[in-house]
Amino acid sequence: MMAYMNDQSYAETLRTGCAVYFSRSRGKLWRKGEESGNVQEVDSIYLDCDRDTILLKVRQIGDAACHRGYRSCFYRRVTPKGLEVVGEQVFDPEEVYKK
Amino acid sequence: MMAYMNDQSYAETLRTGCAVYFSRSRGKLWRKGEESGNVQEVDSIYLDCDRDTILLKVRQIGDAACHRGYRSCFYRRVTPKGLEVVGEQVFDPEEVYKK
């Protein structure tokens, strides 16, 4: 998955050992898994060459990082015939988020 | 590695089969490997759940994606003592880019 971090979310990630992002649409910290329970326990953190991208290696609780219930947000492959779902759905979003 | 794409770079990636990004600092298309020769032959393309992030799986010619000569741009790990280089340098940037 890909998400945004600001200084505070990075500091909270280091402090708690779990991934904390910053939701730009909601304008606040996003403690990944706060609603679904699918938190991400941080195993290791890497910085890229120009230090503007952070890579987290995590233990994904619940086996799904994506709010749509897939292990990865990148569960659709681009093909000449359009998008093909290649991921396996681990949970039903309607049950987990109870909208 | 992480890089930016615009419509034109995505279209060129599909057309050529090699990764083309858009350099926001230079304001123009960036045909990855145009200077170093380390092009990226695209194996498959994935879109994320909200369709604003693209994942390319590539065959990295020259074995290094990073302009600093590492296989990955994420060659430094964050540790309590600071950044630790964990990647292996595949080429010498000064030789490849001949500054």
Side-chain angles (χ1 to χ4, degrees):
Chain A
M1 61 168 288
M2 228 274 283
Y4 188 78
M5 276 195 177
N6 63 4
D7 285 350
Q8 195 189 357
S9 67
Y10 183 66
E12 277 297 285
T13 298
L14 290 180
R15 188 182 71 79
T16 66
C18 288
V20 179
Y21 303 109
F22 182 78
S23 169
R24 288 177 295 178
S25 58
R26 287 177 285 166
K28 62 173 190 172
L29 287 189
W30 169 27
R31 294 177 190 276
K32 173 69 181 165
E34 60 194 351
E35 196 178 348
S36 65
N38 292 348
V39 300
Q40 296 177 328
E41 297 173 353
V42 176
D43 179 60
S44 47
I45 304 177
Y46 299 82
L47 294 191
D48 80 338
C49 46
D50 54 3
R51 301 189 186 209
D52 61 4
T53 309
I54 299 165
L55 172 67
L56 299 183
K57 293 196 178 178
V58 303
R59 287 178 293 277
Q60 177 63 62
I61 305 303
D63 282 339
C66 181
H67 72 294
R68 294 200 172 166
Y70 293 88
R71 182 169 175 79
S72 160
C73 296
F74 300 91
Y75 62 89
R76 291 173 303 188
R77 181 174 174 169
V78 177
T79 79
K81 293 180 178 174
L83 292 178
E84 175 193 6
V85 173
V86 293
E88 189 186 345
Q89 208 172 27
V90 174
F91 68 75
D92 178 351
E94 298 209 353
E95 283 189 17
V96 167
Y97 294 104
K98 296 193 171 69
K99 286 174 184 172
Chain B
M1 62 168 286
M2 228 276 282
Y4 188 79
M5 276 196 178
N6 64 3
D7 286 351
Q8 195 188 357
S9 68
Y10 183 66
E12 278 295 285
T13 298
L14 291 179
R15 189 182 71 78
T16 64
C18 289
V20 179
Y21 304 108
F22 182 77
S23 169
R24 289 176 294 178
S25 59
R26 286 176 285 166
K28 62 174 192 173
L29 288 188
W30 168 28
R31 296 177 188 277
K32 173 69 182 166
E34 60 193 353
E35 196 178 348
S36 65
N38 292 347
V39 301
Q40 296 177 329
E41 297 173 354
V42 176
D43 179 61
S44 48
I45 303 177
Y46 300 81
L47 294 191
D48 79 339
C49 45
D50 55 2
R51 299 187 187 214
D52 62 3
T53 309
I54 300 165
L55 173 66
L56 300 182
K57 293 194 179 181
V58 303
R59 286 178 293 279
Q60 176 63 62
I61 304 303
D63 282 338
C66 181
H67 73 292
R68 294 202 172 164
Y70 293 89
R71 181 168 177 78
S72 160
C73 295
F74 300 91
Y75 61 89
R76 289 173 303 187
R77 181 173 175 170
V78 177
T79 79
K81 293 180 180 176
L83 294 178
E84 175 193 7
V85 172
V86 293
E88 190 186 346
Q89 208 173 27
V90 174
F91 68 75
D92 178 350
E94 298 209 353
E95 282 187 17
V96 166
Y97 295 105
K98 295 194 173 68
K99 285 174 185 172

